[in-house]
Amino acid sequence: MRKYSSIAAACILAVAATTSLQAAPASEPSSTREAITPGDEPIILFDGKTLGDCYVWLKDVGRSDPEQVFRVTDGLLHVTGDGLGSLITNQAFKNYHLVLEYKWGDKTWRDRENSARDTGLLIHSNGVDGGYQGIWKPSIEVQIIEGGVGDFVFVSGKDEAGEQVPLSLTAPVTLDRDGEVVWNPDGNVETYGTANRRRINWRQRDPDWKDEKGFRGPHDVDSPGQQWTRIDVLADGDRITTFVNGVKVNEASNPSPTSGQIQLQTELAEVFFRRWELYPIDGGPAPAPAEQ
């Protein structure tokens, strides 16, 4: 059994009798929260029982979840996908090794019923809830979409003062056949963000990617079908490095912001999470494939 840090233990909510549990509301603006760095023990963001020290934000309904889009089912964090929004940590974090394990469900919704299954891990989140089109808090996204797991995406939006949250990453890149930006450790170093907003694709993203359910490129390293996939994100001060199933797929430096809350998206696709943990940079497990 994994041990909880004192921070995590104090934050975990009491277990309710049902398997679908509401999260705790945030109590202060993100700009006033002091970012926490994991210590000797991991911070367990999902304990298999509750939604933990997090709150839900959904488009049109805000900090409520009447349809229980985020719930706990059979020990898994179950995101039904029936909506747009996120589960957001109350705490802000910095300088951590994040481990996340997910698998896709069957259900997709509305105008994305036949589209590639899509969700995301949003790190360094700052600003107002719903700052991006009423849906997500401004952040740097580690994309989780069929065919594009590990892309970096800028989720723009405003802070509590109504100003744009400055977002940026610097990375060596090349352009693919269609002019899309692709991480390449031997490429030219470029800076993207609020002033020059481009997605930074993971290194071997298929240039023939199609937005269709079940898409899989020839070099994709996430697990096929509805098997478990592991993502490791090392947010190490001025560098963000992402691994998918133990393979390094993307890396950038000089991030802005360098800390913030963490969000798990709901983006009209059902997804399950079994592991969501933070370790110190030098004390976490080596990136590796997910066990099936």
Side-chain angles (χ1 to χ4, degrees):
M1 180 180 296
R2 300 184 185 95
K3 297 179 180 179
Y4 297 164
S5 71
S6 57
I7 295 170
C11 293
I12 297 297
L13 298 178
V15 179
T18 64
T19 57
S20 299
L21 302 172
Q22 198 72 303
S27 57
E28 56 184 283
S30 60
S31 60
T32 66
R33 298 189 185 98
E34 182 178 353
I36 294 170
T37 298
D40 294 336
E41 298 289 344
I43 297 174
I44 308 299
L45 296 177
F46 175 62
D47 68 349
K49 300 175 183 178
T50 76
L51 298 183
D53 187 31
C54 300
Y55 64 98
V56 171
W57 176 273
L58 293 170
K59 185 180 181 182
D60 299 327
V61 296
R63 294 188 188 185
S64 63
D65 190 0
E67 302 299 325
Q68 295 185 319
V69 175
F70 294 93
R71 59 181 73 179
V72 178
T73 303
D74 297 329
L76 302 177
L77 174 51
H78 180 192
V79 183
T80 69
D82 185 15
L84 294 169
S86 54
L87 180 68
I88 309 172
T89 62
N90 276 311
Q91 297 288 348
F93 299 97
K94 65 179 180 180
N95 301 331
Y96 54 80
H97 175 174
L98 184 150
V99 177
L100 183 73
E101 293 188 350
Y102 76 92
K103 69 175 181 178
W104 297 113
D106 291 317
K107 185 66 175 175
T108 48
W109 300 84
R110 298 194 279 284
D111 61 343
R112 293 199 60 80
E113 184 176 1
N114 298 310
S115 300
R117 294 179 177 91
D118 192 2
T119 186
L121 168 69
L122 279 57
I123 66 171
H124 297 354
S125 304
N126 289 268
V128 297
D129 293 323
Y132 177 81
Q133 298 183 4
I135 306 172
W136 297 298
K137 185 183 286 283
S139 53
I140 296 171
E141 177 177 1
V142 179
Q143 175 70 284
I144 304 173
I145 188 172
E146 291 180 302
V149 180
D151 296 348
F152 288 140
V153 180
F154 297 104
V155 181
S156 60
K158 296 182 179 181
D159 63 16
E160 291 82 0
E163 302 294 330
Q164 284 288 320
V165 175
L167 303 172
S168 66
L169 290 171
T170 299
V173 300
T174 52
L175 301 181
D176 70 8
R177 179 196 64 203
D178 301 323
E180 294 189 359
V181 176
V182 179
W183 174 66
N184 184 331
D186 298 319
N188 295 322
V189 176
E190 303 286 349
T191 298
Y192 301 98
T194 306
N196 183 20
R197 191 174 164 207
R198 300 287 300 275
R199 185 180 66 237
I200 304 174
N201 289 340
W202 76 279
R203 189 175 186 182
Q204 292 186 292
R205 194 184 212 264
D206 186 358
D208 293 318
W209 180 84
K210 295 180 181 178
D211 190 11
E212 60 185 26
K213 192 172 183 177
F215 180 87
R216 185 165 181 82
H219 303 295
D220 287 355
V221 293
D222 55 305
S223 301
Q226 292 168 271
Q227 298 181 42
W228 289 101
T229 293
R230 174 172 158 180
I231 296 176
D232 290 73
V233 177
L234 279 70
D236 186 8
D238 64 354
R239 186 166 300 275
I240 300 173
T241 308
T242 299
F243 296 81
V244 176
N245 277 338
V247 178
K248 185 175 177 179
V249 298
N250 216 336
E251 186 171 47
S253 61
N254 301 319
S256 178
T258 58
S259 65
Q261 294 160 274
I262 302 172
Q263 307 175 71
L264 294 181
Q265 284 184 330
T266 173
E267 198 166 357
L268 303 179
E270 185 180 33
V271 61
F272 297 86
F273 299 93
R274 68 180 181 187
R275 190 176 180 186
W276 186 21
E277 303 164 351
L278 300 180
Y279 296 83
I281 289 292
D282 297 326
E291 295 182 3
Q292 301 304 321

